Amino acid sequence: MAGNAPERIVIENCAIATVDANDTEYAAGHVVVTGNVIESVGAGAAPAGLENVVRRIDGSGHLATPGLVNTHHHFYQWLTRGLAQDANLFDWLVALYPTWARIDEEMVHSAAQGSLAMMARGGVTTAMDHHYVFPRGGGDLLGAEIRAAAELGVRFTAARGSMDRGASDGGLPPDFAVETLDGILEATEAAVDTHHDGSFGSMLHIAVAPCSPFSVSTELMREGAELARRKGVRLHTHGSETVEEEKFCHELFGMGPTDYFESTGWLGDDVWMAHCVHMNDSDIAAFARSGTGVAHCPSSNARLAAGIARVPDMLAAGVPVGLGVDGTASNESGELHTELRNALLINRLGAHRERALNARQALRLGTYGGAQVLGRTAEIGSLEAGKLADLVLWKLDGLGHSTIADPVAALVLGAAAPITLSLINGRAVVEDGRLTTADEDTIARGTRDQARRLAQVAADAS
């Protein structure tokens, strides 16, 4: 009879931060995984008499948390890290758009492998990417990312981005880097029809994601929102990232970014925006009222001198907030677990000072908050029976953490914690700090070669 029982993984003797609605924690507890679902979480040892336990893990000295959820990224930028080091957003974009406009399918697949591998081995179990550069003749760039996520076994939201406002129309990207409105809508709808899986446990979602107010026409914003809602998928874009963007919106549209988004149908509980650094009280109230989410990217905001987002005020108002790596051309580490610490530290430099965020709020941003903005709280973001088995076992008894008695504080405030095990959909994707689904050295060599090839192609074209 035991052979007919579902296969189980049992983790015991670890501290557990469930990040459930009550922030339930256990100093020493257990997690039982059945297939791709969490069967039970609780204090003490796992229930006796479990059948078909294929693996039993002693988690002593570890903290179990939900897997981290990344809510904003640009995978292709893995190939252009370390450039335009001292620029603000607009100058950085102008410097890099000519290179980005030369990417192709092989480059994007390699860059996606590098981005996903770095995140996965740092505790990310659900990744998201906002890809909006589609050069003519570049191949199936969105498909290249989707293929890389499937190869590594990472849960993925692919946001089909777009730009149709080139330099000749007052936008920032060069004209050869943008698409036509009709072409964008057709390709985006095809991406949803071909790839989106809205079922419970899905490994792949598609979102509709025009790039930003300064690279997209008003027609694309409106028709993109209509397309997304007709197809029942989520909407994503950049918003209120810099003072330059605020000025751009007032000059071009006669209103600030939030009012512009509302006028084009881009506020709602099916929408999330990246950055949202420059938000006044009225903007925050509009996001809270409509349920619009935010992808907070503290390292990228600092790298590009964009400013400090008002995350404590957003949370107090009830705005859903998750964390984002952002593209690795503006956050060269490419890791989300460092954003837990940076979110806490950078927000304490703002008006709320030491009361801005605490360690548990930072962990919630990186887990449940991310699930909120991606619309997946019924499946991921907390360790609860019936949810998907996306979880991370962090080793906290080593040199970097052993004298910090509070395991959540050790994870958030301490050095980057080693990962003993990361499960995605019940499958071990990281073991003892190394990927199990791909060879990291092979990926590193491939991305290096593709970065050099992109640099040469861009130089030849200039």
Side-chain angles (χ1 to χ4, degrees):
M1 297 297 291
N4 296 322
E7 290 189 346
R8 290 183 170 94
I9 298 173
V10 176
I11 305 170
E12 297 178 292
N13 305 320
C14 57
I16 301 173
T18 67
V19 200
D20 66 8
N22 299 313
D23 276 327
T24 305
E25 295 182 16
Y26 303 103
H30 69 271
V31 182
V32 178
V33 171
T34 305
N36 71 334
V37 174
I38 297 171
E39 179 179 341
S40 66
V41 182
L50 293 174
E51 297 181 325
N52 262 22
V53 176
V54 297
R55 187 170 183 186
R56 191 175 291 271
I57 299 165
D58 182 0
S60 300
H62 290 73
L63 171 67
T65 72
L68 302 183
V69 179
N70 183 33
T71 63
H72 187 64
H73 211 309
H74 308 295
F75 290 171
Y76 72 90
Q77 292 181 15
W78 189 263
L79 304 183
T80 57
R81 294 192 293 168
L83 305 178
Q85 296 175 22
D86 303 311
N88 64 30
L89 174 67
F90 277 21
D91 292 341
W92 176 85
L93 288 170
V94 170
L96 292 177
Y97 269 141
T99 297
W100 292 340
R102 307 299 173 183
I103 57 175
D104 61 24
E105 184 173 344
E106 186 178 6
M107 293 174 189
V108 170
H109 179 258
S110 181
Q113 285 184 316
S115 298
L116 286 159
M118 198 69 182
M119 284 189 292
R121 74 170 204 167
V124 169
T125 55
T126 296
M128 173 272 174
D129 191 63
H130 184 191
H131 188 90
Y132 54 84
V133 182
F134 291 90
R136 296 178 187 88
D140 185 4
L141 306 189
L142 195 72
E145 296 191 323
I146 290 169
R147 189 167 76 252
E151 290 164 353
L152 270 69
V154 177
R155 203 177 302 281
F156 186 37
T157 293
R160 205 295 179 179
S162 52
M163 300 187 295
D164 71 338
R165 187 191 293 276
S168 63
D169 293 322
L172 281 185
D175 288 344
F176 61 82
V178 303
E179 302 173 273
T180 66
L181 172 62
D182 289 343
I184 288 166
L185 295 172
E186 181 180 346
T188 303
E189 184 164 4
V192 175
D193 290 343
T194 303
H195 297 295
H196 182 71
D197 175 7
S199 65
F200 181 86
S202 167
M203 294 295 289
L204 179 60
H205 281 188
I206 304 295
V208 175
C211 181
S212 62
F214 48 82
S215 59
V216 168
S217 68
T218 298
E219 292 77 14
L220 178 53
M221 293 296 289
R222 288 191 176 124
E223 294 190 38
E226 291 170 2
L227 169 62
R229 291 180 174 124
R230 175 163 52 84
K231 291 292 181 178
V233 299
R234 298 182 77 75
L235 302 85
H236 180 62
T237 192
H238 296 87
S240 301
E241 185 173 359
T242 66
V243 292
E244 291 84 4
E245 180 188 334
E246 178 89 18
K247 180 181 178 183
F248 180 96
C249 287
H250 276 286
E251 290 178 350
L252 200 63
F253 311 124
M255 63 187 85
T258 299
D259 289 338
Y260 175 67
F261 288 135
E262 187 163 28
S263 75
T264 56
W266 272 78
L267 293 185
D269 60 8
D270 54 357
V271 180
W272 84 104
M273 308 264 184
H275 302 292
C276 298
V277 175
H278 297 278
M279 301 268 283
N280 59 32
D281 290 348
S282 175
D283 297 329
I284 292 173
F287 272 53
R289 181 176 64 252
S290 61
T292 305
V294 171
H296 176 46
C297 306
S299 292
S300 178
N301 293 344
R303 162 77 152 83
L304 296 174
I308 302 172
R310 296 174 58 187
V311 172
D313 296 327
M314 294 178 194
L315 295 175
V319 175
V321 182
L323 292 181
V325 170
D326 203 6
T328 49
S330 63
N331 178 4
E332 278 75 4
S333 75
E335 298 176 300
L336 192 70
H337 67 301
T338 58
E339 300 306 291
L340 302 176
R341 186 172 193 264
N342 289 343
L344 185 153
L345 297 181
I346 289 175
N347 279 281
R348 287 190 178 187
L349 296 175
H352 295 276
R353 301 181 64 189
E354 70 276 8
R355 295 182 300 279
L357 290 177
N358 60 41
R360 282 158 178 81
Q361 287 174 306
L363 178 60
R364 178 170 286 274
L365 290 177
T367 53
Y368 189 84
Q372 274 187 298
V373 303
L374 295 185
R376 304 200 69 168
T377 54
E379 302 169 280
I380 60 173
S382 59
L383 299 182
E384 300 180 75
K387 286 198 171 185
L388 297 170
D390 291 8
L391 64 89
V392 181
L393 198 58
W394 310 87
K395 181 176 172 59
L396 299 179
D397 59 358
L399 178 63
H401 307 87
S402 64
T403 57
I404 306 177
D406 177 351
V408 175
L411 176 65
V412 173
L413 295 175
I419 291 176
T420 293
L421 178 69
S422 178
L423 297 180
I424 303 179
N425 216 41
R427 177 191 185 192
V429 172
V430 178
E431 296 255 16
D432 297 322
R434 298 286 292 185
L435 290 171
T436 66
T437 53
D439 182 76
E440 296 176 21
D441 295 333
T442 300
I443 291 175
R445 287 192 297 271
T447 54
R448 179 196 61 204
D449 292 345
Q450 292 301 319
R452 290 174 176 173
R453 186 166 76 88
L454 175 58
Q456 187 60 57
V457 170
D460 292 344
S462 64

